[in-house]
Amino acid sequence: MLTSRSTGFLKPGLYLLLWLVAICITALLGFLLARRAPLPSLSAEGLRFDAQRALDNTRRLAVEYQRRTTGEPGAERAADFLRSWFSSLGLETRYHDSEMWLAGRRVRVRNVVAVHRGETDEYVVLMAHYDAPFTTEQAAADNATGAGVLMELARTQSSAVGLRRRRGLVYIATDAEEWGQIGARNYVRAPGLPRERIVAAVSLDCVFPGRPAGMGVAAGGQGPGFAPLWLRSLAEAAVHANAWKTIEQELVERAVCISVTEQGPFNALDVPAVDLVVFPADRGTARAIYHTPGDRIEGIRPEGLEAMGRTAELMARELDAAPLVRENANYLRLSPGTYLLPTATLLLSLVLFAPLFYGAAKTHWSPLRTLRLFLPLAGAYGGLIVAARLNLFPRYELYP
């Protein structure tokens, strides 16, 4: 007898046994079905990124342009500075403006876009947000560092004598990342944008203070979407070529399906994108200053900027010659160079959760019980939407 006569639910011991069996079978099938895809071999020779210049850029943005909250004077002055910087390099520079809800009012979202044209109409996007939340001042790590790296990458590419690019580079200093990647979202969704010509996008978000421990390569989408395996592999190979290690994030990204960095809106529209972040050896200190007035320039070290900048420069160089690929992103990466195909991932998911399906079939399930659980949640969510529309509390672009 698999169920309790009094409750109709599976006995705990048998239920646990079913889960253990399912986990063992899943692990075995995963081992048998895993595919190998060795990371490409890349050389970091000839890179021109200057970490000290990137640190100078970061310091200037953090110290001279504080309180860069979207819609505030600090953000507007920072956008003007960035546009002037890109223009001084001889790049075609413009603003990309849109609007969003922030704390109950409509504010302007201002991206700064600079174009380095190539020989074809295809291009690679390099982007970093310059905005900051209300709770910080300098916002040095998040994300004056990414913007400082972006500025140095633009300098290295525009000043390289005799450098010819088959594909163009588009540098975007984005706004409103802190409120749901709104600047990046509005850019990639803009009517008339030739998304099919974007080979890939690389986001630069946050060099945490202190001694660097490794780099994260974020690949999640904003809701749907995920970075394709070829771009993930290229990013990891670029990290390793610069003698750094990658720090895993995929299982969390696959489970949550909500991006916290700007590759998300691109992947949601099937434009291949990844984000680079430099993690510190001391995670506790980084968490303590995150989005606080303690996020100051004094904690930023050039080694972290060098790791991000050289990795991004190497990726841009390789993407100039890479084939334009659109592929299924429903793989599951197990380790560097090892992954599961979409069909294998689906099969393993069914096996792993088979005890859940079996348990549901053996219980006294009724639609009415599910409805009683669902209706209060739906009512609460609907109430939030109505309250926001009536201005009973401050409205934000992505909430409720």
Side-chain angles (χ1 to χ4, degrees), residues 28 70 81 144 195 221 223 234 303 315 350 373:
L28 177 61
T70 300
F81 160 66
R195 287 189 290 270
L234 176 63
E303 307 97 284
M315 289 186 68
L350 293 175
L373 176 65

Side-chain angles (χ1 to χ4, degrees), residues 88-136:
S88 71
L89 300 176
L91 301 174
E92 301 175 25
T93 309
R94 63 181 176 87
Y95 291 131
H96 175 269
D97 289 343
S98 56
E99 288 188 339
M100 64 173 282
W101 284 99
L102 180 58
R105 62 191 181 96
R106 296 290 286 176
V107 299
R108 181 174 63 188
V109 178
R110 169 156 282 182
N111 298 329
V112 181
V113 182
V115 180
H116 181 157
R117 295 202 177 274
E119 297 173 352
T120 71
D121 59 2
E122 296 176 351
Y123 60 99
V124 175
V125 172
L126 299 175
M127 58 185 169
H129 76 92
Y130 66 88
D131 68 300
F134 293 117
T135 53
T136 187

Side-chain angles (χ1 to χ4, degrees), residues 146-164:
V149 168
L150 184 72
M151 293 162 67
E152 171 58 9
L153 288 170
R155 186 198 67 81
T156 61
Q157 298 301 301
S158 62
S159 65
V161 177
L163 176 64
R164 298 180 62 186

Side-chain angles (χ1 to χ4, degrees), residues 136-151:
T136 187
E137 296 173 357
Q138 290 190 4
D142 186 18
N143 185 40
T145 54
V149 168
L150 184 72
M151 293 162 67

Side-chain angles (χ1 to χ4, degrees), residues 28-51:
L28 177 61
L29 288 175
F31 176 78
L32 295 175
L33 297 175
R35 297 290 186 92
R36 292 288 300 170
L39 298 181
S41 179
L42 304 182
S43 171
E45 294 295 324
L47 297 180
R48 305 176 66 248
F49 185 86
D50 187 326

Side-chain angles (χ1 to χ4, degrees), residues 168-229:
L169 285 172
V170 174
Y171 306 96
I172 312 176
T174 56
D175 195 5
E177 187 271 352
E178 299 293 357
W179 312 102
Q181 305 95 56
I182 303 301
R185 184 197 70 173
N186 292 353
Y187 173 83
V188 76
R189 288 184 181 181
L193 180 73
R195 287 189 290 270
E196 70 282 357
R197 298 176 189 169
I198 304 176
V199 179
V202 180
S203 168
L204 312 169
D205 192 352
C206 200
V207 176
F208 281 102
R211 181 174 60 85
M215 293 188 63
V217 178
Q222 200 174 56
F226 208 82
L229 185 62

